[in-house]
Amino acid sequence: MNDTLISRVLSTIQYNQFLAGLSGGVVSSVILHPFDLVKIRFQVTETKSSIQNSSLPYRPRYTSLFDAFRTIYREKGLLHGLYQGVTPNVLGNGMSWGLYLFLYNTIDVLNTNEYKRKNLTLKDRIIYSTIAGVITISITNPIWVIKTRMCLQYSDSKSNVYYKNMFDCIRKIYKLEGMKAFYKGLTPGIFGTIHGTIQFVSYEQMKDFYVKTFHTTEFSTPVILMFSALSKLVAASTTYPYQVVRTRLQDQHQQYNGVLDVIKRTYSREGISGFYKGMVPALFRVVPACCITFVVYDSQPYSVVILDFNNDTRLDIAVASYGTSHIGVYFGYGNGSFMNQQIFSSGFNSHPFALAVGDIDNNNLTDIIATNDGYGNIDVLMKTC
């Protein structure tokens, strides 16, 4: 990869989105880490018949989500208990976000056909996101192993833990188990990259259904919240079992002979429900963050222009929606109210952020000129008003 390619990739990254997403991911990881920890502990909880086969002398059994929080807090407190393993969690989320964004944009830039880049199909997006996701999980998997190991340190004492910190965990895993231990759970992790695809497709299908049913492209915040929550539920319910398999492979207290062995033993002892252990705290962790993300990024208006676009002597409004990469026009009734938004797409990931207007082609109709942050160009919407 030469300097020119790297500079092209870096120029396509929307750093305001990157920093917002990175900081949001870090903040949500810190705030919601206790749900991650409890989820992981529920995922590896064995049935009574299998406890005797475990090498672990003390594996707590929680009767409910509330009981888990209460027990962990009573035994080890907030920092050493509920926030055990938070460092690799924050590091992993930050690295995953940055790597995924860089890799996705690299794949996009390698496609030198500018027209195709501007009009990516759903198939293109799925392929790009899958490739970026597989590479990202392959690089960051060691961090998730460390996080799982640290979250699964059970003790009724704050000081009696095997891994003192993240670096101690790395050293001991490498010394006792070798490099291959850092890649436990990689196979189900790669399978899990379809989670985002299912969520994205579900979300877009719900929006399309809404538009066709109610004949409007206006999405209120409650509607976006509902669609984002439902799409996350669909994705989670269809792909969650891979997380259980992955966590059990990474569990330092049990030994499995690969993915098939985990699936076989889990199903024989616990049935289908065994693959959905910990799903409640998992949803508490991901659904709120998902809803916030969709609400924030589904529009992101950056620029507004007020003018009489259709020559009816009534003022209209044009909005550059950075998040959804389109120009929205609200035609006014002249009484302070407006028609439903008419949307003009500026291309996938174009991210328009500034508008200007004028009669470019002298046809007595106002044209809209948009500057696109995603493409680094100027787009003229001719005869749209």
Side-chain angles (χ1 to χ4, degrees), residues 79-194:
L79 183 61
H80 296 282
L82 292 172
Y83 275 91
Q84 192 169 254
V86 68
T87 302
N89 191 16
V90 172
L91 178 63
N93 276 292
M95 283 188 62
S96 295
W97 179 273
L99 277 171
Y100 179 85
L101 181 63
F102 180 80
L103 291 168
Y104 186 93
N105 279 273
T106 299
I107 298 168
D108 189 25
V109 167
L110 287 173
N111 182 356
T112 56
N113 186 325
E114 184 175 350
Y115 175 80
K116 187 175 181 181
R117 284 182 59 200
K118 187 175 179 180
N119 298 276
L120 288 177
T121 64
L122 177 60
K123 179 181 177 181
D124 293 327
R125 299 179 200 177
I126 292 175
I127 293 174
Y128 288 8
S129 62
T130 300
I131 294 174
V134 169
I135 297 175
T136 298
I137 190 63
S138 299
I139 294 174
T140 60
N141 195 77
I143 299 177
W144 304 126
V145 172
I146 295 166
K147 170 195 166 185
T148 300
R149 295 288 182 93
M150 294 188 72
C151 287
L152 293 178
Q153 294 194 97
Y154 308 107
S155 172
D156 53 6
S157 169
K158 295 181 180 180
S159 59
N160 186 23
V161 292
Y162 183 64
Y163 303 120
K164 304 301 181 183
N165 52 54
M166 187 177 75
F167 298 104
D168 184 53
C169 183
I170 295 172
R171 182 179 63 83
K172 288 179 177 177
I173 291 176
Y174 180 75
K175 181 179 179 180
L176 298 176
E177 303 174 61
M179 195 66 187
K180 65 179 182 180
F182 291 105
Y183 288 91
K184 288 186 175 182
L186 178 59
T187 300
I190 290 175
F191 173 79
T193 57
I194 68 172

Side-chain angles (χ1 to χ4, degrees), residues 171-373:
R171 182 179 63 83
K172 288 179 177 177
I173 291 176
Y174 180 75
K175 181 179 179 180
L176 298 176
E177 303 174 61
M179 195 66 187
K180 65 179 182 180
F182 291 105
Y183 288 91
K184 288 186 175 182
L186 178 59
T187 300
I190 290 175
F191 173 79
T193 57
I194 68 172
H195 179 105
T197 300
I198 294 174
Q199 181 181 347
F200 172 78
V201 172
S202 300
Y203 181 74
E204 291 299 320
Q205 290 297 318
M206 291 177 193
K207 288 174 63 177
D208 289 343
F209 176 79
Y210 185 86
V211 170
K212 293 176 182 178
T213 302
F214 297 100
H215 306 290
T216 178
T217 55
E218 286 289 295
F219 299 98
S220 63
T221 297
V223 170
I224 294 175
L225 285 172
M226 180 179 67
F227 288 169
S228 58
L230 288 175
S231 64
K232 173 57 71 173
L233 286 172
V234 170
S237 61
T238 53
T239 64
Y240 185 79
Y242 96 85
Q243 295 188 38
V244 174
V245 174
R246 182 185 181 191
T247 300
R248 293 194 174 196
L249 283 170
Q250 295 173 347
D251 181 9
Q252 65 265 44
H253 307 297
Q254 287 280 25
Q255 295 297 320
Y256 295 96
N257 297 318
V259 174
L260 294 179
D261 185 41
V262 176
I263 296 174
K264 180 180 178 181
R265 288 166 61 178
T266 300
Y267 181 75
S268 64
R269 293 171 176 172
E270 303 161 63
I272 293 296
S273 63
F275 294 100
Y276 287 90
K277 286 187 173 180
M279 189 169 180
V280 172
L283 292 177
F284 272 105
R285 164 67 178 86
V286 298
V287 170
C290 169
C291 292
I292 293 171
T293 299
F294 275 118
V295 169
V296 172
Y297 286 104
D298 207 65
S299 179
Q300 279 191 289
Y302 258 51
S303 179
V304 175
V305 174
I306 300 176
L307 196 70
D308 178 14
F309 291 113
N310 55 356
N311 295 328
D312 64 353
T313 71
R314 300 167 182 170
L315 290 178
D316 311 306
I317 300 175
V319 182
S321 294
Y322 188 98
T324 47
S325 295
H326 72 249
I327 308 300
V329 179
Y330 297 85
F331 292 106
Y333 288 117
N335 60 359
S337 60
F338 297 85
M339 299 181 188
N340 289 330
Q341 179 182 204
Q342 290 193 21
I343 293 177
F344 304 94
S345 176
S346 53
F348 178 71
N349 262 352
S350 58
H351 302 300
F353 70 97
L355 297 178
V357 294
D359 184 7
I360 302 298
D361 53 355
N362 294 318
N363 66 346
N364 295 320
L365 291 176
T366 303
D367 306 304
I368 300 176
I369 302 92
T371 53
N372 295 319
D373 190 26

Side-chain angles (χ1 to χ4, degrees), residues 41 44 46 51-52 54-62 67-68 70-76 84 151-158 160-161 251-253:
R41 293 196 172 188
V44 299
E46 306 96 338
I51 292 178
Q52 59 185 6
S54 174
S55 62
L56 183 66
Y58 171 68
R59 171 99 82 180
R61 296 179 61 81
Y62 309 115
D67 179 56
R70 180 181 58 184
T71 302
I72 296 171
Y73 181 77
R74 283 180 176 177
E75 288 184 348
K76 303 180 70 175
Q84 192 169 254
C151 287
L152 293 178
Q153 294 194 97
Y154 308 107
S155 172
D156 53 6
S157 169
K158 295 181 180 180
N160 186 23
V161 292
D251 181 9
Q252 65 265 44
H253 307 297

